[in-house]
Amino acid sequence: MRNCAFEDKKTKDRINNSVDFNIFAKIKLKISGFECIFATSVDCIGNFFCCLRSSIYFLASKRNANAWLFGILASILSVVLFFRQDYVGSAVLNIIYGLLGILGYLQWKFIQPHKRAAYNLKSIFHIYIVGICILLTLVLKFLFDSIHYNQFIIWDILLATGSIAATYLEIKKDTSCWWYWIICNIGYFILYLFPSNGQDVMYYYAALMLFLAIFSWFAKIAWEKSSDLSEE
């Protein structure tokens, strides 16, 4: 984020040293201040709603449809946060999360509200899913390289496709989704802690991803127990 205090000081000095101190200069100074306040507020709100992800995981572990509503809201504000941090891949991913969140809410609330969580897919299907994620990652990376767009790194794309797969499996209440989330959250923890392309380290979000990876393990256990109870 830009240094607002430094920019405001330069603006003030330029205005004070000018003989053309008029209403337009005053307006420009005020606009500069509002821009700084807005930028700071966006980052604070974005970080605050990233905390909602903890609540989302908790509600999801209880198979509560309201988890998707929190997810939609968190995704919208995460888009703003990630675009400001130049994590374009994560921003686009959160746009997709928002759309999937709408589908997930409809599925859990209205279409199949009483469906039990279970391991519904055979191992071979997970091999297909991972293969598709890797293939899609390579195709997207090739397309971005062909147009000389270097903001997307291959690991960011791979984690994005894996997270989309995890979200889809979660919508279907397939317990295996939590294995995907564990792997993806650990991957994002490493990505945010050791960024590339000169991006800033996101300590807060890295810590959050590590926490969610651990929480995903307990959510997986909760879904497995509910599945065992339903079979009895």
Side-chain angles (χ1 to χ4, degrees):
M1 187 176 71
R2 60 185 183 178
N3 190 328
C4 298
F6 179 69
E7 290 188 2
D8 281 352
K9 184 178 184 302
K10 291 198 303 182
T11 305
K12 289 178 180 178
D13 291 341
R14 184 167 61 251
I15 292 173
N16 290 334
N17 294 330
S18 174
V19 294
D20 296 326
F21 183 70
N22 51 40
I23 187 62
F24 298 105
K26 292 180 181 178
I27 292 175
K28 183 177 181 181
L29 177 59
K30 289 184 179 294
I31 291 175
S32 177
F34 282 129
E35 286 177 348
C36 296
I37 293 173
F38 174 76
T40 303
S41 299
V42 166
D43 286 345
C44 291
I45 294 173
N47 284 316
F48 171 76
F49 274 95
C50 286
C51 295
L52 283 177
R53 289 191 182 278
S54 302
S55 302
I56 295 166
Y57 273 56
F58 175 77
L59 291 173
S61 69
K62 302 294 183 180
R63 297 174 306 284
N64 190 319
N66 291 328
W68 296 105
L69 297 179
F70 283 100
I72 295 168
L73 182 58
S75 295
I76 292 172
L77 291 169
S78 292
V79 168
V80 179
L81 172 65
F82 281 126
F83 267 123
R84 289 187 52 75
Q85 296 288 348
D86 289 330
Y87 283 91
V88 182
S90 296
V92 174
L93 175 61
N94 274 275
I95 293 175
I96 299 174
Y97 276 161
L99 298 176
L100 289 175
I102 297 173
L103 178 61
Y105 180 77
L106 295 175
Q107 181 81 9
W108 284 26
K109 187 69 174 180
F110 302 107
I111 301 175
Q112 291 182 319
H114 303 297
K115 182 180 180 180
R116 294 286 183 176
Y119 286 102
N120 298 312
L121 296 180
K122 296 181 179 180
S123 299
I124 187 64
F125 287 102
H126 292 290
I127 295 176
Y128 291 151
I129 291 174
V130 173
I132 291 172
C133 289
I134 294 174
L135 179 61
L136 184 59
T137 297
L138 295 175
V139 170
L140 290 173
K141 181 60 177 174
F142 173 78
L143 292 175
F144 293 141
D145 288 343
S146 65
I147 60 175
H148 305 289
Y149 191 77
N150 300 318
Q151 278 194 311
F152 290 98
I153 62 174
I154 192 167
W155 296 115
D156 199 0
I157 301 173
L158 181 60
L159 291 172
T161 56
S163 297
I164 292 172
T167 304
Y168 175 77
L169 292 173
E170 190 174 348
I171 292 173
K172 295 298 183 180
K173 292 186 179 180
D174 193 299
T175 308
S176 62
C177 71
W178 295 111
W179 284 111
Y180 285 77
W181 281 127
I182 291 170
I183 295 172
C184 289
N185 285 328
I186 292 176
Y188 275 118
F189 164 74
I190 297 173
L191 180 65
Y192 296 142
L193 198 59
F194 304 101
S196 61
N197 300 333
Q199 295 169 328
D200 295 332
V201 177
M202 298 178 69
Y203 293 105
Y204 172 80
Y205 218 84
L208 179 62
M209 291 297 104
L210 181 60
F211 169 77
L212 293 181
I214 297 172
F215 193 92
S216 295
W217 173 261
F218 291 101
K220 179 188 73 70
I221 294 175
W223 278 30
E224 288 173 343
K225 288 182 178 179
S226 69
S227 177
D228 294 338
L229 290 175
S230 63
E231 290 177 359
E232 294 177 359

